[in-house]
Amino acid sequence: MLASELPARLPTRAELVRRPLPTSVLGGVPVTGFPESLPEIDGRLVQALQDAELPGMALAIAQGGRLVVMRGYGTLTVGSPVAIEPTLPAMLCSLCKPLTAQAFLVLAQENKLTLEDRADRWITTDPRITLRQLLTHRSGLAAKFLDTSHAATEVERVKRALAEPLVFTPGERFLYSNVGYQVLGRILANITGQRPDQFIQKRLLDPLGIRSYFVATYLTPADQVRDDSGTAYVLTPHRYDKQTRGHTPVRDRVSSLAKEALGSSDTCGAGCMSALDFLHFLCSITPAQRQMIRKHASETDGYGLGWMLKDGGLAHTGIGSGETHYALTRESGVSYVCFLPSSNDEACERILALVQSLVLRLKRSPELPWQ
């Protein structure tokens, strides 16, 4: 039986913005955060957002594990008076996977499990599947849920998926699997006796002072409506239409996911957090954990324990129907997180490439407090 605790709720701006965020206007675009002036990157990013007609973005940068930039550009929606802030939570999409994997690394370090343990020790599934195969997308489970009809809970939804035939023999090859990471969530709950988001908050995020994390599909129906409506303090996703070349705010994201099951996609996509806080989590990964991630990635297909080897470091994307996120950490000490509230793939790729080039050339900056 899982521990009974209060359900997830939307954080308020007052809870997340611990100090006043300076706001300026550059080329008609609001710019928030610290440092107050950042001429090396502000002008070029504002111009890139205007050229791509994107509503805005959130960016956080660390050097040597220390926060040096926290930035918001643009507004929640086109014409909105509310500026984007780097403390604004957004749906993480697949950036949830590093959080889920990190929870298993913590349990492994505490000798509660080994990555070679069979998954059927904690959940009814094919006895050939191991935790390591689930974490590295080599389990043979399907890429996505085939049955999207309503289930009472995510436990039931995952049970249906595990009744489906495997796509291939476990360990045989790589297939990026949202199903696999949802199975990991149910295993995590069975090991700890806590809902996955509650364990992640308590063991991974509370020690860092992170308060922006919540799982949208655990929200009350009233908070789901507030999240989708754009009236809450959350980043509004935008769906891009290639024919009209315009962006439309997504107003049914959380409610649609929640219809599949209570807690739907909690460990593979529906978790929410600010760019600033996700960077803080990213910088908390220890050298020993990084080495383990790299080892497993090099032995598989470049994806190891919640991260992929990319762009000279550990990286992951978070792509949904209305957002494109990217996180990267390099051994050199440079790390950054960028949230783009748009599904315009081509434009987002151009901006992310520009962000990376600017971040890697950024001069050493004064340290900022995380809180």
Side-chain angles (χ1 to χ4, degrees):
M1 180 68 67
L2 298 186
S4 176
E5 297 185 33
L6 292 173
R9 68 176 181 85
L10 285 169
T12 65
R13 182 179 186 277
E15 290 173 317
L16 299 177
V17 182
R18 311 291 177 84
R19 52 191 167 139
L21 294 178
T23 302
S24 59
V25 178
L26 185 60
V29 175
V31 178
T32 66
F34 295 96
E36 292 188 39
S37 177
L38 200 59
E40 303 103 305
I41 67 174
D42 284 344
R44 294 191 63 184
L45 289 179
V46 165
Q47 186 61 56
L49 289 169
Q50 290 178 323
D51 291 345
E53 298 182 351
L54 265 63
M57 63 182 281
L59 175 65
I61 306 170
Q63 295 173 335
R66 298 178 177 183
L67 177 67
V68 296
V69 173
M70 49 183 293
R71 262 295 183 270
Y73 300 94
T75 55
L76 285 184
T77 58
V78 176
S80 168
V82 182
I84 290 176
E85 297 175 332
T87 50
L88 201 68
M91 192 171 286
L92 294 172
C93 304
S94 283
L95 285 181
C96 290
K97 294 182 175 71
L99 290 167
T100 303
Q102 187 74 359
F104 279 88
L105 289 184
V106 167
L107 292 173
Q109 289 172 334
E110 295 175 350
N111 296 317
K112 302 284 181 61
L113 55 83
T114 75
L115 299 185
E116 302 308 324
D117 283 345
R118 287 170 25 180
D120 70 348
R121 177 179 170 186
W122 297 283
I123 197 168
T124 302
T125 187
D126 191 298
R128 296 170 293 176
I129 298 175
T130 67
L131 296 180
R132 181 165 104 106
Q133 290 166 349
L134 288 167
L135 288 162
T136 57
H137 297 290
R138 298 176 66 85
S139 66
L141 292 171
K144 59 183 180 179
F145 288 91
L146 302 178
D147 182 356
T148 58
S149 59
H150 178 72
T153 65
E154 190 66 353
V155 173
E156 178 60 32
R157 185 167 176 252
V158 167
K159 183 178 179 181
R160 292 179 191 173
L162 289 176
E164 300 285 341
L166 294 179
V167 179
F168 54 84
T169 301
E172 184 178 77
R173 59 185 176 89
F174 175 90
L175 177 65
Y176 191 86
S177 174
N178 283 331
V179 175
Y181 265 73
Q182 283 306 103
V183 171
L184 285 167
R186 311 293 56 84
I187 291 173
L188 183 61
N190 290 338
I191 293 172
T192 66
Q194 294 177 278
R195 220 168 56 192
D197 62 312
Q198 294 164 347
F199 179 83
I200 287 169
Q201 180 68 56
K202 182 177 180 179
R203 296 300 309 277
L204 304 185
L205 307 181
D206 277 351
L208 301 174
I210 290 175
R211 294 290 181 271
S212 66
Y213 175 66
F214 64 94
V215 171
T217 49
Y218 284 126
L219 293 172
T220 63
D223 266 352
Q224 290 174 24
V225 171
R226 286 184 61 226
D227 192 316
D228 281 338
S229 70
T231 60
Y233 185 71
V234 292
L235 192 64
T236 302
H238 288 73
R239 187 175 289 114
Y240 180 71
D241 189 313
K242 292 184 178 180
Q243 291 186 333
T244 64
R245 296 185 179 181
H247 283 92
T248 303
V250 179
R251 297 303 192 198
D252 62 351
R253 162 69 59 74
V254 180
S255 57
S256 294
L257 274 176
K259 286 177 182 176
E260 296 175 3
L262 175 66
S264 172
S265 302
D266 58 351
T267 49
C268 80
C272 303
M273 193 187 297
S274 70
L276 174 63
D277 280 348
F278 195 86
L279 179 68
H280 198 177
F281 158 71
L282 179 57
C283 291
S284 74
I285 301 173
T286 67
Q289 290 168 340
R290 289 169 184 263
Q291 184 178 7
M292 184 182 296
I293 293 167
R294 284 185 169 276
K295 176 180 180 293
H296 284 275
S298 63
E299 291 175 352
T300 53
D301 295 86
Y303 193 104
L305 311 182
W307 293 97
M308 58 186 79
L309 299 182
K310 185 178 179 182
D311 291 334
L314 304 180
H316 213 293
T317 55
I319 299 174
S321 60
E323 58 273 289
T324 304
H325 308 323
Y326 191 67
L328 172 69
T329 179
R330 286 184 162 187
E331 297 301 325
S332 64
V334 176
S335 304
Y336 72 91
V337 176
C338 182
F339 286 179
L340 286 162
S342 167
S343 62
N344 185 343
D345 298 344
E346 294 181 2
C348 288
E349 285 179 11
R350 289 196 301 271
I351 290 176
L352 288 175
L354 175 60
V355 167
Q356 186 165 134
S357 68
L358 294 173
V359 168
L360 297 180
R361 293 203 306 266
L362 187 66
K363 296 177 182 178
R364 188 73 182 181
S365 301
E367 180 182 357
L368 298 169
W370 288 106
Q371 302 301 321

